[in-house]
Amino acid sequence: SPDGRTIAYSSDRGGAMEIYTSGITAGGKESPLSNDGGQNIFAEWSPDGQWIAYHSRRKGGIWVVPSGGGGPRQVVDFGSQPSWTPDSEHIVFTSDAGGMAAQSILWIVHRDGTGRRHLTKLGAPRGGHTKPSVSPAGGIVAFTVSHGHISSEVWTAPLDGGPGTKISNGASAHFSGDGKAVYWIGRTIEGNDALMRIAVDERGTASGSPQTLQTFTGN
């Protein structure tokens, strides 16, 4: 959660993946937020801490539920991997929900399900557009462009619909807390996974050279 006191996660303890929250202190109370057998995953807190967005594999699309409990509501009937804008009003997501990653693009929708529009277009850039991460300032989104099992790239694009910018080869990009850098998982020359970082401006354009922060070796 934004205040650092609670985590949201998926568990299949009841037979299907459901969304739960739990305090991180010893004896913290665990609360189920979904109980519909929907195979619910990708729980994502809104920045104001009031909502959790997630994807339902069985029912489809993006759903939103109050973080304190209540009835989940479907926001859009397709897509997965939700990422909130800083005002907690909009959700950026990928159209991929399994099986069509190469044809996926990014969309944005209001929390109440209105104003749905696409942020990226098929083929621009070429590949599937997944794993969005909205910047803390809200002006840009970082995302992964997948080329199947061959390779993947990290891109940024403005939320107002301008052209995207390639950052580097890699995947799973996230912004720093101040929005002035992007982190992602890349590869070293030796073929090992590595946590990477590069500075970006307010339009998502990278400056300087990528830094290797941590290398992961072995299985």
Side-chain angles (χ1 to χ4, degrees):
S1 59
D3 65 9
R5 298 178 179 178
T6 311
I7 59 172
Y9 55 94
S10 297
S11 172
D12 65 354
R13 66 180 59 188
M17 297 294 284
E18 302 288 359
I19 305 298
Y20 294 82
T21 59
S22 179
I24 64 173
T25 58
K29 180 182 178 182
E30 182 181 70
S31 301
L33 293 186
S34 70
N35 187 28
D36 59 3
Q39 299 292 2
N40 303 318
I41 57 174
F42 296 129
E44 185 79 8
W45 288 90
S46 63
D48 64 6
Q50 299 300 304
W51 309 92
I52 292 176
Y54 63 90
H55 165 61
S56 174
R57 284 179 173 172
R58 181 165 293 167
K59 294 186 175 182
I62 305 296
W63 294 66
V64 170
V65 61
S67 60
R73 178 174 50 86
Q74 189 181 47
V75 175
V76 63
D77 60 2
F78 69 98
S80 65
Q81 300 172 1
S83 178
W84 291 88
T85 55
D87 59 6
S88 301
E89 292 293 323
H90 293 83
I91 299 169
V92 176
F93 62 99
T94 175
S95 59
D96 175 48
M100 291 294 290
Q103 304 295 318
S104 59
I105 61 173
L106 300 186
W107 291 74
I108 187 169
V109 65
H110 193 272
R111 189 182 68 232
D112 64 8
T114 61
R116 185 177 73 196
R117 62 181 174 88
H118 59 78
L119 290 180
T120 60
K121 297 180 180 179
L122 190 63
R126 185 177 62 84
H129 307 168
T130 63
K131 301 177 182 177
S133 172
V134 180
S135 66
I140 51 179
V141 58
F143 58 101
T144 297
V145 176
S146 175
H147 302 285
H149 297 292
I150 300 173
S151 64
S152 59
E153 303 163 348
V154 172
W155 283 65
T156 60
L159 292 184
D160 60 13
T165 302
K166 180 181 176 180
I167 297 295
S168 178
N169 293 329
S172 302
H174 285 274
F175 283 94
S176 59
D178 59 10
K180 295 182 179 180
V182 171
Y183 296 83
W184 72 95
I185 299 298
R187 284 268 182 171
T188 65
I189 296 175
E190 296 78 19
N192 296 312
D193 289 336
L195 177 63
M196 310 292 292
R197 178 191 184 277
I198 198 167
V200 294
D201 63 19
E202 67 277 1
R203 297 296 290 177
T205 303
S207 61
S209 300
Q211 298 174 285
T212 301
L213 302 181
Q214 178 71 50
T215 300
F216 308 99
T217 60
N219 295 324

